[in-house]
Amino acid sequence: MSSPVHNSTRQTRLRRRIVTIPGMFLVTALLLLLLIPVLLIGGIIDIRYRRPLSTVRLILFTLWWLVVETFGLIGAFVLWAYFRPFKRLTNQRSIRAHTVIQRTWIQALVTAARLFLGLKVKVEGDSLENKIGPFIILARHGSQGDALLIAAMLGRLRIRPRVIMKKELLQDPCFDIFGNRLRNYFVDRDTVDNFEEVASIGQLAAEMKPDEATLIFPEGTRFSIPKLKKSIISLEETAPSRVKSAKNLRSVLPIRSPGILAVLENAPEADLVFVNHVGVSQFRSIKDIWRNTPLPTDLHFKITFLPRSEAPNSASQDELISFIDSRWEEIDDWVVTNQQALS
């Protein structure tokens, strides 16, 4: 069985967790202890600004999240104590057990978002229920919660995701522990050694089982007009043939090709799944969420399944990237149309 893909040393992880894990328990205990006065203050704020219990809802969501995180950390310790002897932490039984806890943790957070934030999810397009993997999932990056929501959808289908995420998420101890024990990769977007990052991303997708999927956000970051302009300028220097397609985009960023190519090359048997969504793209901070709680619109997903046989061969890199660029223009058209319908 393949080992998890690590992008930090054991010492680095230990130094980080000495801070984040006790901090999580401490904050949870403090909020539980002070919950009544905190809720009263939140209620006063809501009355003052005539909000429909937005502050109270966010406080309760935060408490739920902290409690779920706490139980996740306890579960992680129990699994470590059971599987660590005789170096069994990476065997198949351990991976399955960690997957169950991770899936439960994610579903609990999504449930909290439904209860307290008013999250409503609408899904259209192709169903993966009767499909046999492995899959490569190329998802539009529109909000902070993309990875969790997509992982929740995959969890209901009993598909185990391998996720490529930004390294900043390692500050969340559950993301850190389960993300490192299972096969995921935390990208350092500021690294000067892009070659090593791309190689690790490709390694993540290798040797997937039929019930697994590699989830990648090809844009690398969330959309903004300045980022789009910067991407086009970069492509004019590095890939002039892609500029025309990039200039057609209005609501998504051009894909970053090295990571995509590495994933496709290392999983030549995996079918492609394009995941698009609208509904929460404008939420870029806690203040944005507070202003829009309960959420005024559905989170609208569209899923498009594409058999690998219908995509160009991975060896034809230029042709393959051109093909994905065309799909990304279609994603952009769908986003523009459906965002207009929401406004």
Side-chain angles (χ1 to χ4, degrees):
M1 155 131 200
S2 302
S3 299
V5 181
H6 292 307
N7 60 340
S8 59
T9 65
R10 183 177 180 181
Q11 290 75 17
T12 301
R13 294 195 294 274
L14 181 60
R15 286 196 299 269
R16 181 173 61 240
R17 293 169 186 176
I18 286 174
V19 176
T20 59
I21 294 176
M24 180 64 66
F25 285 118
L26 178 61
V27 172
T28 304
L30 284 174
L31 185 54
L32 283 170
L33 184 65
L34 301 172
L35 182 59
I36 300 301
V38 169
L39 286 175
L40 287 173
I41 293 171
I44 292 170
I45 293 172
D46 289 335
I47 292 171
R48 167 66 178 81
Y49 291 99
R50 298 182 180 180
R51 300 297 309 164
L53 294 180
S54 301
T55 311
V56 170
R57 289 168 179 266
L58 282 175
I59 292 168
L60 292 173
F61 174 79
T62 301
L63 176 62
W64 184 301
W65 170 63
L66 290 169
V67 170
V68 169
E69 287 269 332
T70 299
F71 278 104
L73 292 174
I74 293 171
F77 175 77
V78 170
L79 293 180
W80 179 85
Y82 183 79
F83 287 108
R84 182 65 179 83
F86 308 108
K87 299 182 178 180
R88 297 179 299 157
L89 202 57
T90 59
N91 71 17
Q92 191 64 33
R93 285 186 61 203
S94 174
I95 296 301
R96 294 286 181 183
H98 280 82
T99 299
V100 169
I101 291 185
Q102 177 182 257
R103 183 181 296 148
T104 303
W105 170 69
I106 291 171
Q107 293 290 356
L109 292 180
V110 173
T111 298
R114 293 179 188 274
L115 288 175
F116 301 122
L117 305 184
L119 175 68
K120 299 179 290 293
V121 179
K122 172 184 175 183
V123 181
E124 69 170 72
D126 299 323
S127 171
L128 300 181
E129 285 199 28
N130 298 317
K131 303 285 193 304
I132 298 176
F135 308 103
I136 294 172
I137 298 178
L138 299 93
R140 179 203 170 212
H141 194 12
S143 69
Q144 293 281 18
D146 289 325
L148 277 177
L149 291 165
I150 296 172
M153 287 195 296
L154 295 175
R156 288 195 292 272
L157 297 171
R158 295 297 185 264
I159 297 173
R160 294 182 293 155
R162 303 179 178 187
V163 188
I164 300 165
M165 299 171 279
K166 60 184 180 181
K167 71 170 186 177
E168 287 80 2
L169 290 173
L170 290 169
Q171 300 308 312
D172 180 304
C174 271
F175 268 116
D176 183 6
I177 293 175
F178 285 92
N180 277 293
R181 288 186 189 174
L182 299 172
R183 287 185 61 82
N184 302 282
Y185 189 70
F186 295 88
V187 176
D188 183 353
R189 296 183 294 183
D190 299 321
T191 183
V192 295
D193 189 359
N194 189 56
F195 179 81
E196 182 178 344
E197 288 286 296
V198 171
S200 297
I201 289 171
Q203 179 188 350
L204 179 68
E207 301 177 5
M208 283 193 290
K209 301 293 190 296
D211 65 340
E212 289 187 298
T214 294
L215 169 58
I216 183 171
F217 297 92
E219 297 158 285
T221 186
R222 286 173 291 165
F223 174 85
S224 72
I225 294 297
K227 289 177 183 177
L228 177 58
K229 291 179 179 177
K230 184 177 179 180
S231 296
I232 292 173
I233 292 172
S234 177
L235 288 174
E236 287 174 341
E237 298 178 359
T238 60
S241 62
R242 298 185 57 206
V243 171
K244 181 179 178 181
S245 175
K247 286 184 175 179
N248 290 331
L249 302 177
R250 296 157 290 170
S251 58
V252 300
L253 298 176
I255 65 168
R256 297 183 179 182
S257 59
I260 293 292
L261 290 172
V263 167
L264 293 170
E265 182 179 354
N266 279 274
E269 77 290 355
D271 292 320
L272 306 181
V273 180
F274 293 89
V275 177
N276 199 357
H277 71 79
V278 295
V280 295
S281 302
Q282 68 272 35
F283 304 158
R284 300 181 180 275
S285 67
I286 294 295
K287 189 174 183 179
D288 287 338
I289 297 175
W290 178 78
R291 287 174 172 171
N292 291 277
T293 296
L295 301 178
T297 59
D298 293 353
L299 180 58
H300 186 180
F301 278 96
K302 180 179 180 181
I303 298 175
T304 304
F305 174 80
L306 184 73
R308 189 60 175 273
S309 59
E310 296 184 15
N313 191 286
S314 297
S316 307
Q317 293 190 352
D318 290 342
E319 185 179 352
L320 182 54
I321 292 301
S322 177
F323 173 82
I324 297 176
D325 278 342
S326 297
R327 303 288 80 72
W328 223 244
E329 289 185 57
E330 294 173 2
I331 283 176
D332 181 75
D333 289 338
W334 186 88
V335 171
V336 171
T337 300
N338 284 274
Q339 280 181 338
Q340 290 172 347
L342 292 174
S343 47

